[in-house]
Amino acid sequence: MDKKIKNVFVEGAISPEFIANSIAKHQSKTTIGAHNIFLGQVRADVIDGNAVGAIEYTAYEAMANQKFHEIREATFDKFDLTCMHIYHSLGKVAIGEICLFVFVSSPHRKEVFDALHHVVEEIKKEVPVFGKELFEDESYQWKVNS
């Protein structure tokens, strides 16, 4: 039986409270020996003399949720993980705010490092989420994954 496909999107920035609550849920699980967290943050880039003030994220939500689900399931098959959370922002996220939150737990530390690296690389490569860099002069350009 297939697992239910979860909506991974959060409107706007991912708050510190949201991150803390997601992590706190796992403190009582005594089979976990290690956690690892990736926080993708909007950079204060300057491109051709224009300062980025925010990124506006859009996605083909059904397709993106399906891809996130596939990445999650494949990662569980490849690594000895206890749990994994993936959340990505939609809408406008200002510089300095969090737009991607990935959290993995395992009985062993090596698994969490390897799994987290794998997940983040797969997300950047496979998931149809698009960012429009909004410049302080009110112009914009579509973001190139980096």
Side-chain angles (χ1 to χ4, degrees):
M1 180 176 180
D2 285 335
K3 291 183 180 180
K4 182 180 178 221
I5 294 176
K6 179 180 173 185
N7 178 23
V8 304
F9 291 108
V10 173
E11 191 60 38
I14 302 170
S15 72
E17 296 79 20
F18 183 91
I19 294 166
N21 290 337
S22 296
I23 295 167
K25 293 176 187 174
H26 300 285
Q27 289 178 315
S28 64
K29 295 183 180 178
T30 59
T31 60
I32 295 173
H35 304 286
N36 203 0
I37 301 164
F38 176 84
L39 300 174
Q41 179 173 309
V42 176
R43 287 188 305 266
D45 284 343
V46 176
I47 301 167
D48 298 328
N50 289 325
V52 174
I55 297 179
E56 184 177 350
Y57 291 98
T58 59
Y60 297 112
E61 288 187 53
M63 186 186 301
N65 278 314
Q66 176 65 41
K67 265 302 183 193
F68 278 117
H69 176 78
E70 291 170 9
I71 291 167
R72 183 180 191 283
E73 294 306 304
T75 304
F76 268 103
D77 288 344
K78 186 172 182 169
F79 300 96
D80 179 23
L81 298 178
T82 306
C83 69
M84 178 189 317
H85 296 280
I86 302 171
Y87 293 99
H88 200 295
S89 294
L90 284 182
K92 190 174 177 179
V93 181
I95 58 171
E97 293 183 321
I98 303 301
C99 56
L100 176 61
F101 167 45
V102 182
F103 173 69
V104 295
S105 300
S106 172
H108 308 285
R109 69 182 176 275
K110 182 165 178 16
E111 293 292 311
V112 296
F113 289 115
D114 294 345
L116 188 65
H117 181 263
H118 171 78
V119 168
V120 173
E121 291 301 313
E122 288 298 302
I123 289 170
K124 292 298 256 179
K125 184 171 68 173
E126 297 292 333
V127 179
V129 173
F130 310 98
K132 186 188 320 181
E133 293 172 309
L134 305 174
F135 297 109
E136 290 179 350
D137 70 359
E138 298 186 17
S139 64
Y140 69 88
Q141 77 174 14
W142 289 100
K143 182 172 175 38
V144 177
N145 275 345
S146 60

